[in-house]
Every structure is written in C-alpha cells, then in structure tokens.
Amino acid sequence: MRPNGIRRVVIVGGGTAGWMAAAALSRVLGGDPTLTFELVESDEIGTVGVGESTIPQIVLFNALLGIDEGEFLRATNATYKLGIEFVDWTHIGERFIHPFGFYGLDMQGVEFHHHWLKARSLGDETPLQDYSLNIMTGLRGRFGHPRHDLPNSPLSKMGYAFQFDAGLYARLLRRLAESWGVRRREGRVVDIEQDGETGHVSAVRLADGRRVEGDLFIDCSGFRGLLIEEKLGAGFEDWSALLPCDRAWAVPCEPGGGRLPLTRATARAAGWQWRIPLQHRTGNGYVYSSAHVSDDEAAATLLVNLDGAPIADPKQLRFTAGHRRRAWIGNVVALGLAGGFLEPLESTSIHLVQTAIARLLTLFPHRGFSTLETERFNAELAQEYRDIRDFLILHYHASGREDSAFWRDIRALTPPDGMVYKVAMYRENGRVFREHNEVFTETSWLAVMAGKGIRPAGYHPVADTLPDTETLARLADIRAIIAETADALPLQDDYLRQVGCDLTPVRRVA
Ligand code: FAD
C-alpha cells in the first residue's frame, strides 16, 4: 500500500466535468487494484445542460478513452466543427472565421501570412480565409479528416472538433466509466466533513444520511463549488470588469438554415448569440450583459433569431467570468464550472476540464499531497485562464462597433497587458507569438486579428526575397489548390449518414 494510503477517489458531480474525470481517471489509473472511484450526483439538482461546442483537443480526449469516432457521432448526435464563424463582430454586416487549421503554406522559412501581407501591399486584397482549407471546406458544408500521411497536401494541416449534445456525451462517458469500475451514487450532498488535524475533506454526507468517504475529492459540483468554495473558501478571481457578460439564455430549436460544420457566434446589441448545428437540432443561446439589456429583452432577441421553432423553453444561466484562486486545496481538486468559467465564445470550458484532468494525472498524488505540486497545478491553471481571457477580450476590444452602450462600454475598458502586447506586435510587422504553450496558437490570434481588420504596418523582410510576380502567382496557386481540395471532400451530411448517423430532425411537440 502507498505510504499515505490514497485509495478512494470521490468525484462530486455528474455533469460533463464529473463524467469526463471519472472516465479518464478510471481509464488511466483503473489498473491499480488499490484505487477505487466513486461518483456522487444528484438528479434532483441536474446539470447545467449546455456546453455543446468544442475545440480540437477533444479528439485526443476521446482517443485516450478509446472511443470510436463513428460510435461517438452516433451516441451524441454530434457534427463536425472546423472553426467558429464570427458575424457582425467587426462591423455589422462583416464576418470572419477562426479556423482549426493553418493558412496557406510557409515559404522561404517564414510564415505564410507574411507573404499574404506582402501581397496586400501589392494591391491583392484576397482575404486570408481563402487560404484556409478548414474555412473553404466548412463554408461548402463539407468535411475531411486530416491526412498526416500526405505531408504535401493541405489536408495534412486540417484540424477539427465536434459539436454534440452534452447530456448524451455525459451518458456515453458514464457508460464507459462504469464499465471501468466507477461506482455511481445517486444522492444530494448536504454536508462535508473535514479532518480536524489536516483540514482535508474526509467524507461527504448525503441527504439520506449515507456518508461517502474518500482520500482525494474531485469537486465537479458546478458553479457553486460545493467543496472548493463553500467548504474550503478558495476565493474567486473575478474578471467581470473585463468580461461583463454575466447571463445567458439557451434554447434548442428545430434545425434549419443549413448544417455547416461551423459554430456561429453573432454579435448582438448587448452580447452575442451562439448557433450550434447538431444532427437532430440546433443549439442556440444569447450570452449578454445584464447591465445592458433586461432578461426579457434578451430572451425575446434570442427567440426571434432562431432558424426554426424552439423545441424547449429557454433556460437562463447566470455566471461570473473568472476562476478559483486555488483550484486544488489539500485533497480537493475542482474541475469544470466548480473551477471557473469564461464565456463560451471560443468553446473553451470542456477543454479546460480536459487540461485540468491531464494535469491532475501528471501530478497524481500517489505518495501524498505535496504543496509544491498543488501550487504547480494552480499556477498552470491560472495561466491558462489568463491566456484564454486575453484572447476573448481581443474579440470585443478590436471591434469597430459603436452602435450600442454595450459595445461602447466594452471597447472603453482597459484591456489586459497580454492582449495589448500581442496586438502591438502584430500591428508593427505582422509578428504573432505563442506564449507559454497557450491553447490558442499563432493561427488563432492571426485569424481574429486579421478578421478584425487589424492591418500591420510591415511584414517579415524575407517575404521580399520572392519576386512580386512570383509571390502573387504562388498565392493564386495555393488558393486554387485549397478550393479544389475542398470541392473534392464529401458533404458533411453524406459523411455522417455513411457512418450511420440519423439526421432526422427533432420537431416541436405540439
Ligand atoms: P454541471 O453541469 O453544473 O454539473 C454539476 C453536477 O454536480 C451535476 O451532476 C449536479 O447534479 C451535481 N451537484 C451539484 N450540487 C450537488 C449536490 N449538492 N449533491 C450532489 N450532486 C450535486 N463549454 C464548452 O466547452 N463549450 C460550449 O459551447 C459551452 N457553452 C456554454 C454555455 C453556457 C451559457 C454555459 C453556462 C456554459 C457553457 N459551457 C460550454 C460550459 C460547459 O457547459 C461546462 O463546462 C460543462 O458542462 C461542465 O459543467 P460541470 O460538469 O462542471 O457542471
């Protein structure tokens, strides 16, 4: 047995975070016969019920769990996602896409976009998106997997994620986790017991009197943070002054308006609206600032901007942007909404669950709890939140909109240094840097900065080692190859049907 006797892992909460943790921990550590895994959840309380759009790292998570992609698509009514389409964010009537893949082809040892900037200086106004296979494929409603076996093809540089029904995903993960030995306990946690000496949580008590004892507790209890905040008082790093959206209305509707493999985020007068096309329905929500619009008006705005009839009543969610100051305290680690939340503009919450699980696995306290390791966990997580926050703020700050108090107020906020630095670097000579392994790469920052119409004053001088005519000819070739490749890929709907998905739309029950 281990010196510290960590044997019982207890997960509190069975939303997406809870079941992701249960599945990943039991998959990776389940072979250790001295460890047990229990998950406590309460049907009475339910889950947040949203969280349908992801980023490409989810593919790795599913692979870790050995989930077959066809099975996943069928089980969760999922569609593919090649990027996010931003509508009306720069000015009303303008749109751009943040793709999960690279632009063009690096040439002469410098990134492609320097050649694109040079072409612009020569008068070629072709938008950056024409050099993205992800975007060109997405706009055609097509889909293709990355082909790493074809290094010279633009297909080798594609990336993709999924859009899925979060409830069905949790169900799939639950089935897997239970098959790997996780024991589920239904019940409402009403009390949390602490060891008088160490301060460690020793057990959670359920409403019916049962006690669930553990050595390591994973708090996946949602926004309240039952253990991490309510019991241990972790403290919250509140960023609502920088990201003032604090509420959302969410409603699914009948599908309509096409099923492109893209999530859409449309800027509205007091926030923005998401549109997530699944196989059988479309997920929608209006994320807004309650200081700038009433709840009723926000709900009305959402309902008049749907592709089809709503198939449920709108559900309201309230939140505060930010994260727990310490997501790991003693023997409690908070994941998911219990750990923090940033608005879903770039679909990062499920990813944050994933990276927190990966960090927990890396630092798994098999020999006892080490302050050095928990501090490492907390510092990395905080950095990750800061990086994502800066990227989200870019979307607002770099907007040209002045048409409502919300846009005027948000653009007047002082942006964080990280974002200011990145934009300044790009403005000067088109240089984009990725800091401390942040989730959003150079391509992501470039996509949004270029999409927002930020024009650098210069570009890398190496781009000038190609004669002007050759630069323009090569760029035209790249565009043509990308368009041809996109045209040759199958339609997403055909692809989904081919792997056995049922695309029958859900209709509103009268
Ligand atoms: P929850 O779903 O709230 O689950 C909490 C669990 O704890 C439940 O099982 C509940 O029953 C249990 N629980 C709570 N209290 C008790 C108790 N006393 N006793 C027993 N059990 C208890 N993420 C993305 O990645 N992409 C998106 O597009 C996206 N969109 C979002 C839109 C909005 C408006 C919001 C608010 C979030 C969005 N998210 C998105 C975030 C995503 O929904 C969450 O990160 C994800 O669902 C994880 O939630 P969770 O499991 O932490 O919490």
Side-chain angles (χ1 to χ4, degrees), residues 264-280:
R264 185 183 299 154
T266 304
R268 300 260 177 250
W272 60 277
Q273 179 172 338
W274 78 75
R275 175 187 182 273
I276 303 176
L278 307 186
Q279 290 174 25
H280 60 314

Side-chain angles (χ1 to χ4, degrees), residues 433-449:
F433 291 96
R434 185 176 182 195
E435 313 283 350
H436 23 72
N437 211 20
E438 63 188 308
V439 57
F440 291 109
T441 61
E442 295 89 336
T443 307
S444 297
W445 278 86
L446 172 66
V448 178
M449 290 192 286

Side-chain angles (χ1 to χ4, degrees), residues 109-131:
V110 296
E111 296 138 301
F112 171 77
H113 72 270
H114 291 287
H115 300 277
W116 170 71
L117 290 170
K118 175 188 169 187
R120 299 204 93 165
S121 74
L122 297 172
D124 178 348
E125 286 290 317
T126 308
L128 188 57
Q129 71 169 28
D130 289 19
Y131 301 96

